[in-house]
Amino acid sequence: MFPVRKSKKSTHIKLTFTGDIMCESKVLDPQDPASTKFHVFFERITHLFDDSDLVIGNLETVVAGESLGYTKEMYSFNTPFSFLEVIKELPVHLVTTANNHALDRGKEGLLRTIDNLELAGILHTGTSRKDNEFIIVQVGGLKIAFLSFTASTNYLDHGFLLESESVGMLNLLCPQDFFERENNHGAIKMALHRGIRSLISLERLMEIKKRIGRIHNVAYCDDLPIEKINELTPYQEKIEKMIRSAKQKADFVVICPHMGGQFNDKPGSFSEFYMEFFSSHHADLVIGNHPHIIQKMDWLEGTPVFYSLGNFSLSPKSSYVVDTYHPVIGLLLHIYLTTDTKVISQMTITPIHMIHNEAGFRVVPFFDSVSANDRILWERWIAKRLNAKLQSVGHNELLIFSE
């Protein structure tokens, strides 16, 4: 049996995708994280989901309970259960969980997150209690498969590797330590990284650098020599098998890879390689995330691919943020599927803006906070980021494609 959702329309269904759903230490109540008023974060954007039949987001945190320690460090997350209750009410119906934070509290945290998502009534894909699973959701009579994969598990930070019998619990694009090993100085870098962090937190070090006017963090890209891509073959074989199974069981297949650099202007060769791989195996839609900024969209072999929608809830006060390409501006991507032909009939976007000031953290519709003249400039900027022509179709919405 598939999870079933009724469509609000008879001729088409509307899928809405968010960027990275973050919940960093800067937005939590420092005295009692579980008492954080999460509902206030999103109260100004709930209407943006009114017509959506299914809302999908990338959950960039584990939700593993207080006993495993709530978020304190900059790159290691564990968020209170009440956060799930709030995003459920937005509503977010389905989250992808294969990302670089899936193991922030180890294997136990991964499993507890699955338990808590199911307790909250939120569908999920990317991590599982079994081996290499995906989910199919039936919406308005259409069966839609969602597959989630990650290229990283923050091995450099915590050094945790799933044992061989458990590695299938997390859908991977490559070995967990792939990027560290591919760096000729990987072992030295890891030892130095952990040594420094034993003396001073990375967040504190970044804050000191910012205060004295030094470069606190830099963007990086997932560029790798193409000849080393051969190491990915066993992972590609598993992924190909999953896509083939999804194509047999579903009417429409969506792949959500968590890959790329961080704050980087353009995707690297690793991302380009996998986008071509997904499209060549006939995915119907690919929605990437991880770079924390808006990146280009493209059409590969007839498949629309989005490399990064940016963020859904990132705090500009977080020490690691690199502001060059405006990470506080993210996109909601709306995909309209015609129920009889089972193809995309229209794609639109809604820009959102993340604000963190003395009043707290908020996410708001971006065009609510800009003048008419500035809107023209920002529309051009977003079009350039996506490498796409855009047309305004409402106060908050821009058209990318229509049949």
Side-chain angles (χ1 to χ4, degrees):
M1 291 291 292
F2 307 117
V4 176
R5 290 194 56 79
K6 293 182 179 180
S7 175
K8 300 175 182 178
K9 286 76 62 179
S10 59
T11 59
H12 68 274
I13 63 173
K14 180 181 179 181
L15 309 178
T16 295
F17 294 85
T18 81
D20 290 324
I21 302 174
M22 309 285 290
C23 190
E24 305 135 299
S25 61
K26 297 290 186 182
V27 305
L28 296 175
D29 184 319
Q31 303 303 319
D32 181 13
S35 69
T36 304
K37 294 180 173 60
F38 294 119
H39 67 280
V40 178
F41 295 1
F42 308 113
E43 60 188 3
R44 289 183 57 184
I45 61 168
T46 55
H47 66 285
L48 300 178
F49 304 104
D50 284 349
D51 294 331
S52 301
D53 295 304
L54 190 72
V55 179
I56 306 98
N58 171 56
L59 183 63
E60 193 97 1
T61 177
V62 297
V63 182
E66 184 177 8
S67 63
L68 293 185
Y70 288 139
T71 302
K72 289 184 178 179
E73 297 181 355
M74 185 170 58
Y75 288 140
S76 183
F77 303 145
N78 180 25
T79 300
F81 179 80
S82 52
F83 184 71
L84 292 186
E85 294 177 311
V86 168
I87 65 170
K88 167 70 174 178
E89 290 301 313
L90 274 175
V92 174
H93 305 106
L94 167 66
V95 294
T96 56
T97 53
N99 56 55
N100 58 306
H101 293 286
L103 294 174
D104 278 3
R105 295 297 182 272
K107 178 180 172 181
E108 183 178 2
L110 181 153
L111 291 170
R112 285 193 187 184
T113 300
I114 292 173
D115 292 339
N116 282 322
L117 284 168
E118 293 175 354
L119 182 62
I122 299 174
L123 303 172
H124 58 89
T125 183
T127 54
S128 63
R129 300 183 185 90
K130 300 179 182 177
D131 184 37
N132 299 115
E133 292 186 349
F134 59 88
I135 192 170
I136 295 176
V137 184
Q138 185 170 313
V139 187
L142 290 185
K143 297 183 182 72
I144 307 173
F146 296 90
L147 292 73
S148 165
F149 303 93
T150 184
S152 170
T153 62
N154 285 2
Y155 176 68
L156 180 64
D157 291 310
H158 53 61
F160 183 85
L161 290 174
L162 286 169
E163 58 271 23
S164 58
E165 64 270 20
S166 300
V167 72
M169 297 168 66
L170 175 62
N171 292 344
L172 295 166
L173 295 169
C174 57
Q176 284 181 246
D177 59 349
F178 181 67
F179 286 97
E180 285 77 15
R181 286 189 298 101
E182 291 307 320
N183 185 330
N184 291 330
H185 304 289
I188 298 173
K189 182 179 179 181
M190 287 179 67
L192 181 61
H193 179 81
R194 290 173 185 161
I196 292 174
R197 287 187 63 179
S198 68
L199 301 174
I200 183 173
S201 74
L202 186 58
E203 183 172 18
R204 177 64 177 155
L205 186 61
M206 285 186 180
E207 288 174 349
I208 291 172
K209 287 182 177 181
K210 289 176 75 173
R211 193 173 297 120
I212 64 177
R214 297 277 301 277
I215 295 174
H216 69 287
N217 196 14
V218 294
Y220 67 86
C221 196
D222 60 334
D223 273 326
L224 292 171
I226 194 64
E227 63 271 12
K228 294 185 178 181
I229 298 294
N230 292 333
E231 291 190 30
L232 306 180
T233 299
Y235 295 86
Q236 290 176 266
E237 291 173 349
K238 288 183 179 180
I239 295 166
E240 182 180 359
K241 183 179 179 181
M242 291 175 70
I243 296 174
R244 188 165 57 247
S245 176
K247 295 288 287 185
Q248 291 170 351
K249 298 174 181 177
D251 301 308
F252 193 87
V253 175
V254 182
I255 299 180
C256 301
H258 199 77
M259 61 185 183
Q262 295 265 276
F263 307 107
N264 48 309
D265 181 19
K266 298 177 181 179
S269 57
F270 183 94
S271 292
E272 296 281 13
F273 173 84
Y274 258 115
M275 285 299 194
E276 292 173 3
F277 176 81
F278 296 138
S279 60
S280 69
H281 287 83
H282 311 295
D284 295 297
L285 175 67
V286 186
I287 308 293
N289 273 311
H290 182 56
H292 292 306
I293 60 168
I294 300 168
Q295 288 185 341
K296 70 174 183 176
M297 69 87 56
D298 205 349
W299 292 85
L300 299 177
E301 300 189 32
T303 300
V305 300
F306 291 80
Y307 285 78
S308 175
L309 300 179
N311 301 296
F312 181 69
S313 55
L314 174 140
S315 170
K317 288 190 175 184
S318 291
S319 303
Y320 65 90
V321 171
V322 177
D323 294 322
T324 309
Y325 298 106
H326 303 290
V328 293
I329 302 173
L331 300 178
L332 302 179
L333 172 66
H334 311 292
I335 303 292
Y336 297 81
L337 296 177
T338 304
T339 52
D340 55 353
T341 61
K342 305 174 184 178
V343 298
I344 297 173
S345 59
Q346 186 170 283
M347 299 191 299
T348 66
I349 56 170
T350 301
I352 57 174
H353 188 201
M354 286 138 268
I355 300 168
H356 198 170
N357 53 29
E358 61 279 358
F361 178 73
R362 302 287 188 279
V363 184
V364 302
F366 180 62
F367 291 136
D368 282 1
S369 57
V370 298
S371 67
N373 288 337
D374 285 345
R375 175 178 175 133
I376 294 171
L377 297 175
W378 281 112
E379 283 186 10
R380 291 174 181 169
W381 180 84
I382 294 169
K384 184 177 181 181
R385 294 302 309 155
L386 285 172
N387 192 32
K389 293 182 179 180
L390 302 177
Q391 176 186 342
S392 180
V393 290
H395 176 62
N396 287 310
E397 207 161 350
L398 302 171
L399 178 69
I400 300 177
F401 165 80
S402 182
E403 280 188 323

